[in-house]
Amino acid sequence: MTDTFHAFDISPVPIPALDATPPELFRGIYGMPMFVTVPTPDLAASADFWTRGLGFFDLFSVPGHVTHLRRWAFQDVLLVPSTDTPVDSTLTVSFSCVLSQLDEIEATCTALLPGCTTGPRSMPWNSVELEIRTPERTRVIMTAARPYDPDSPEAEHLRSIGIEGPRG
């Protein structure tokens, strides 16, 4: 028996489709159910990369203290100053996007910081993922769901571990 239920209506992530369009950037104020705090030695450079490369916008800033970035609803990042030298993080933060955004994100991030991307690559859980290392060395995964094909190897993989796909 399971206590889970479908609650897709509270998510900004669109139904997976080849022509899925991303939701608008969300400028509302809400109690944040989750956010990531990213220390950076250069707030301005990090904010520039996250906005131009990853598609976030500056919701608000307190100069020298914090830059609150956002994309879709519930995709919040707080950039905070740090004097530490950036090192590769073993922690990963993932953000949903749609398939049509991956190539642009990869191209823009690579133009801003050559060599910072890996992928995109297809994953066995029916998504395509692009890995980005930001200037402060945060490992960001931009993940886009693919349309569900019940006859695909990915669907078979999901069924083999007890996950049934959506019903038509």
Side-chain angles (χ1 to χ4, degrees), residues 24-42:
E24 295 293 320
L25 298 177
F26 191 80
R27 299 180 186 280
I29 301 298
Y30 52 74
M32 296 186 302
M34 184 277 174
F35 60 93
V36 61
T37 300
V38 178
T40 176
D42 189 336

Side-chain angles (χ1 to χ4, degrees), residues 12-97:
V13 180
I15 294 171
L18 294 176
D19 62 350
T21 57
E24 295 293 320
L25 298 177
F26 191 80
R27 299 180 186 280
I29 301 298
Y30 52 74
M32 296 186 302
M34 184 277 174
F35 60 93
V36 61
T37 300
V38 178
T40 176
D42 189 336
L43 278 172
S46 290
D48 182 63
F49 184 89
W50 284 77
T51 56
R52 291 198 301 149
L54 297 174
F56 284 75
F57 69 94
D58 185 340
L59 183 64
F60 73 85
S61 289
V62 178
H65 295 283
V66 65
T67 297
H68 183 158
L69 302 174
R70 178 174 298 150
R71 282 179 80 242
W72 303 353
F74 313 121
Q75 293 185 338
D76 292 274
V77 174
L78 304 180
L79 299 175
V80 296
S82 173
T83 56
D84 294 336
T85 302
V87 296
D88 283 350
S89 175
T90 57
L91 182 69
T92 297
V93 60
S94 298
F95 296 100
S96 291
C97 64

Side-chain angles (χ1 to χ4, degrees), residues 53-54 93-95 97 101-107 109-110 116-123 127-133 139-144:
L54 297 174
V93 60
S94 298
F95 296 100
C97 64
Q101 293 179 302
L102 289 171
D103 289 342
E104 181 181 351
I105 292 170
E106 189 276 331
C109 287
T110 298
C116 72
T117 64
T118 303
R121 59 183 172 252
S122 294
M123 305 307 285
S127 69
V128 178
E129 297 184 354
L130 175 66
E131 178 180 333
I132 301 103
R133 284 288 179 171
R139 183 174 182 250
V140 173
I141 303 293
M142 299 303 291
T143 183

